[in-house]
Amino acid sequence: MPGVTAILVARDGGSAAERALERQVRPPDAVVVMDAGASLERLVSSLPPAQADDWLWILPGDAEPEPDALARLLGAVEVAPSVVIAGPKLVSIDDRTLLLSYGESVSQYGTTIALADDELDQSQHDVEDDVLAVVLPGMLVRRTMWDLLDGPDRGLPTVDAGLDLSIRARLAGGRVVRVAGARVAVHPGVQDFLRRKPLGDRSWDRVRRAAQLHRRMVYAPEAAVPLHWLSLLPLALVRVVGLLLGKRPGAIPGEIAAAFAAVFDGSVPAARASLRRTRRVDWPALLPLRTAPEVVRERRATARDRAYAASGLPDLVRARFLPGGLSITVAAAILGIVLALPLLGAGALTGGALLPLSSDLGALWANVGWGSRDGLDLVGPADPFHAVLALLGTLTPWAPSVSLVVLWVAAPALAALAAWWAATRLSTRAWPPVVAAALWVLAPPFLAALAEGRPTAVLVHVLLPWLILAVLSAPRSWSAAGAASLLFAGVAASAPSLAPVLVAAIVVWAFAHPRALVRLLAVPLPALVLAAPLLAAQFARGTPLALLADPGLPVASAVPSGWQLLLGSPSAGGWPALIESLGLPAFAATPAAVILLAPLAAVVLLALFLPGARRAVPATIVALGGLVTAVAAAHLAPATAGAQSVGIWPGAGLSLYWAGLLGAVVVALGALRRAAVVVGVAVLASAALAVAPTLVALVSGAGAVVPGDGRVLPAIVVAEAADDPGLGTLVLRPQADGSLAASVDRGAGTTLDRTSTFAATRAEPSVAQRELAELAGNLASRGGYDPAPVMARLGIEFVVLTPSPDAGADGIRERAAEALDAQAALEAVGDTARGSLWRFGAYEPVADGRPSPGLGALATAGQIAVIVFAVLLALPTGRRRRIAPLGATEDDAGDVFDADGFETDGFDEEHRG
């Protein structure tokens, strides 16, 4: 009769298994209790010498084997003398119908494959008993085989200990079986039962990967070991990318730690020697017991489906993009073409805050980083917005400036699509998202940005709905969190004034979802990394508020009144300008806009008292945050342009304000059901009339934006700059107050990607700027001043006197032109579309003064790494929720809300599939 010694591995001295053993039909002959963390091999070696038919039964101290478990295990091995290891079914101690483990195998690449893993036990695995391996908990192993193999590999203290022991037993000539009738109830995560303390959730990935790498080094042929060892760290980097694509960034530290542990794994030589000593059969004998590649592919496909369903990212089919989403997007696209008719066919745009981009991608990307910022002596970081412009220009690599034309034409369609999709997160019905998309296109700050030529505000309006959608989905999806981080970076780069309120909103959202706290708090990280050099530079010179300045060309504008901001208008144009042109009293403009936007305001207020107010309240809070941001921005002027202070344009804050209002509108329309169509049409009609003056200005070409040819300086200057990028051009701009603004442009001129808030927000002029001001003042005045030494030192060859912006500047321009004509050191070239031009004949090219990369290159490399990390994490793998068909009634299936109060299709995205 076989003798059985049960070894119970207990933590804290407790042993539920010891009590269960007393109830066994066939009790063990001896019971040994050991503390978790002690050496199992050393314990077994201290037992009495083994007899031919002795067995060891390894059990966790808190396991509960069923009364006939040992009898059934022994029954299976007694009829098959070749069996040296037998494993029971491990079932959940809380639900004994749930199968936790029942045999293991490996893929063709050595990955551990659980033959049963967290599934209902319906006897589906009872047919086959021969398996490659079983886990160590619950294992019954022949004592002579244990002694031959010297127990589990010391390099596998937790995961894969039973798998490796079983594989070595088979290579030694024995069989491994699983016994369907033997059942042992265990707690989840039982494989760490040999450790003194259980593994934390974040440690399992590291332990599993370390076990796989250890087995790979032990099992590899002798000649392949050096290659495997050299590939450990490079392979870890490749797998990091795979983990990002698989939305498992939490496993990355474990992957890297496991790779380093494998590099310095000193237990490999002893394990390889033991394997050589005990092996009796060759590896091909195990091939039939490995998991077939097609089965592995099927398992991975199932896992991908689960991840796909859980990510919460857009899916046109499931979101029923047809007909509502497509219709409003097409309508907005047509509107965009109509509004941009004067601009169609242009190679670039100018006017307002618009300038062309650099003419080639190399120059465009070269301006992202550290460099000269004012054409003189100011060296500093680029604005994060330069990276946005570089990405935008890359979309039309043959002519980067064309990308801005495309943006202006496509912006309404892109904004409508973004708003529609974001609105589907608040309503499963078809009509409310369509209304939201139309109102988003008709938003006053968006149309004002198109009319006034403000690319930063246009980009913010297009990106903001995507950011809101991604942040709402981020608690349940790594893909959404990665996308949110990139969108946050784009929005914050385009409108730094929005960063504080967006950060505050994300912090509140994070604390509302403590399980996703770290994930959500990491959303602003790429934006912080992009802005870090500028942030450090502005704080170093004592101008922290300058970080809020609008990037791009600084353009002063009139500060809107409080009523205008409340109505969503960021400028004094629109109805006030129309009322004035009609000769009507100016005070009539505000009541007209109030009356037209009253239906929208009424629906927003109604949303707070209808079913779904739980979602309308956060939307109105977001709106309030946007309004406060807009009001604060309108009263800050951190930049200068010539003699004028330039405030922060409040349009970006008003876009957030408008987004919050539309969120409440969507909630209200969803609650109104049958009345939603009538109410939505009324709101749309009144909102369209409210922005009618701006629409007319855009269609008629009366806005500030005009087609351009891609140049900012006269053609002769651009031609000479092609061979001399350091060529300097003194640009004199007459001001309405009778002064001249002077600047030095290098090369082909200051394009949009060469503007700098670091230069525009300088608190005090530098020595070079004072010298430049003296030069400009003397050139614009008759006298005996000799500009040659200063112009030669500054590398200036041309002087451009731009046209007057208005009649008030005509006098100073005329006097400056006469003085320049009389200057002996200059020769007149002639008048051009961009102003009058003079050449300094004694010009000699100066050495390239561009700074060496240094720390700037290191900072750029770090920024690229973080952005790549976020991009890999954001690559889409998910689905969207369904949308009820147009005309859905109260008789349709009731709406279902998730934990955040957002409409969903009845089950949490984490548990789909």
Side-chain angles (χ1 to χ4, degrees), residues 160 225 235 257 332 427 446 463 572 693 710 736 740 776 848 883 895:
D160 287 355
V225 172
L235 183 61
S427 175
F446 177 54
L463 296 178
L740 278 177
D848 187 356
I883 298 297
D895 297 334

Side-chain angles (χ1 to χ4, degrees), residues 341-422:
L341 279 176
L343 309 177
L344 296 180
L349 298 179
T350 59
L354 279 167
L355 287 173
L357 299 178
S358 294
S359 58
D360 64 89
L361 289 183
L364 189 63
W365 283 100
N367 292 325
V368 179
W370 203 271
S372 176
R373 294 299 162 209
D374 65 351
L376 295 172
D377 61 345
L378 182 64
V379 175
D383 294 326
F385 183 60
H386 290 179
V388 178
L389 291 176
L391 288 172
L392 190 64
T394 304
L395 298 178
T396 56
W398 64 92
S401 294
V402 172
S403 63
L404 289 173
V405 182
V406 174
L407 174 64
W408 240 247
V409 176
L414 296 175
L417 177 62
W420 177 86
W421 224 318

Side-chain angles (χ1 to χ4, degrees), residues 28-117:
D29 299 284
V31 177
V32 179
V33 180
M34 64 170 282
D35 287 333
S39 172
L40 186 59
E41 292 87 349
R42 188 175 302 168
L43 173 70
V44 174
S45 65
S46 67
L47 297 177
Q51 302 300 316
D53 205 19
D54 282 354
W55 295 83
L56 300 175
W57 194 19
I58 315 299
L59 288 171
D62 56 359
E64 295 181 7
E66 293 190 354
D68 60 348
L70 180 56
R72 289 182 177 271
L73 287 171
L74 289 173
V77 301
E78 285 174 352
V79 298
S82 60
V83 173
V84 296
I85 291 179
K89 283 183 177 178
L90 297 186
V91 297
S92 172
I93 203 166
D94 299 316
D95 179 4
R96 305 206 176 192
T97 64
L98 186 63
L99 198 54
L100 298 182
S101 178
Y102 189 44
E104 290 186 318
S105 182
V106 294
S107 69
Q108 60 181 344
Y109 298 111
T111 303
T112 303
I113 304 293
L115 300 181
D117 186 13

Side-chain angles (χ1 to χ4, degrees), residues 441-585:
V441 174
L442 296 174
F446 177 54
L447 297 177
L450 291 173
E452 297 181 22
R454 296 187 180 272
T456 55
V458 172
L459 286 168
V460 166
H461 201 80
V462 170
L463 296 178
L464 200 54
W466 294 116
L467 173 60
I468 293 172
L469 174 63
V471 169
L472 291 178
S473 301
R476 292 184 296 273
S477 167
W478 273 109
S479 287
S485 68
L486 293 173
L487 292 163
F488 186 97
V491 171
S494 302
S497 59
L498 274 183
V501 67
L502 291 179
V503 168
I506 288 175
V507 169
V508 171
W509 189 241
F511 279 97
H513 296 80
R515 293 181 61 184
L517 183 68
V518 175
R519 183 189 308 178
L520 288 169
L521 292 181
V523 166
L525 183 60
L528 179 62
V529 170
L530 281 179
L534 181 62
L535 188 148
Q538 292 284 25
F539 269 92
R541 74 177 185 184
T543 53
L545 283 180
L547 291 165
L548 301 177
D550 289 329
L553 182 66
V555 176
S557 61
V559 177
S561 66
W563 270 108
Q564 287 172 326
L565 292 175
L566 188 62
L567 295 172
S569 177
S571 60
W575 277 101
L578 179 62
I579 293 294
E580 183 180 354
S581 66
L582 295 176
L584 298 176

